[in-house]
Amino acid sequence: MNLLVPIDDSDPARAAIEHAVTTFPDADITVLHVVDPETAMYRTDAPFNFERLLDIEEEKAETLVESAREIAEERGHDGSLTTEIVIGDPVRTIVSFAEDHGIDQIVVGSHGRSGVSRMLLGSVAEQVVRRASMPVTVAR
């Protein structure tokens, strides 16, 4: 089985990794971090230097994927674990990556927002569930 686990720097993303490695101990897992340039420029002091912005985000992403590897190792995951860092719109990138790479299932974390906060902020997990052609498990 091929799983895709999109991650960011959040507790729900860590929960998704833990769920994936414990529920599917023999699966081949791809951990995907999507750098969204539109939101990244608001989280750094280098919004006008796009190359520097991407460097900063990729450095952060390396830390995230290393953390994912550690979680898998701690939980005794026996399958392969690969990591990918890509630039783009998170929802579109996650769904197209899954379709292009023969992913059988996506395991994504969710903050569990509801009501007005979900309407205003949107939910990557919810949009992935709606758009993906394969099963999606939402972990909290």
Side-chain angles (χ1 to χ4, degrees):
M1 172 172 265
N2 293 320
L3 296 179
L4 178 65
V5 183
I7 62 167
D8 59 11
D9 187 18
S10 69
D11 290 336
R14 284 184 280 286
I17 295 166
E18 289 191 21
H19 178 79
V21 299
T22 57
T23 306
F24 306 98
D26 299 325
D28 294 328
I29 297 176
T30 301
V31 174
L32 175 70
H33 178 70
V34 181
V35 175
D36 182 356
E38 287 185 23
T39 59
M41 74 175 138
Y42 298 109
R43 293 189 310 259
T44 182
D45 59 353
F48 301 108
N49 183 341
F50 191 71
E51 290 300 316
R52 178 67 183 131
L53 171 73
L54 294 180
D55 288 344
I56 290 168
E57 289 300 313
E58 287 181 358
E59 288 170 15
K60 290 178 189 175
E62 288 296 333
T63 302
L64 293 176
V65 297
E66 185 56 37
S67 175
R69 281 192 181 103
E70 290 171 7
I71 290 169
E73 188 176 301
E74 289 170 4
R75 301 295 185 267
H77 181 254
D78 292 328
S80 71
L81 188 129
T82 57
T83 59
E84 294 283 337
I85 300 169
V86 294
I87 299 168
D89 171 75
V91 175
R92 285 190 197 113
T93 303
I94 291 165
V95 172
S96 65
F97 186 95
E99 290 171 351
D100 294 346
H101 291 87
I103 298 297
D104 299 309
Q105 184 168 350
I106 300 171
V107 179
V108 63
S110 174
H111 291 279
R113 292 186 181 102
S114 61
V116 174
S117 66
R118 191 177 96 214
M119 273 181 19
L120 294 175
L121 299 173
S123 168
V124 170
E126 179 184 7
Q127 291 180 50
V128 168
V129 168
R130 290 177 186 262
R131 295 181 184 185
S133 59
M134 68 284 303
V136 178
T137 299
V138 179
R140 289 191 199 174

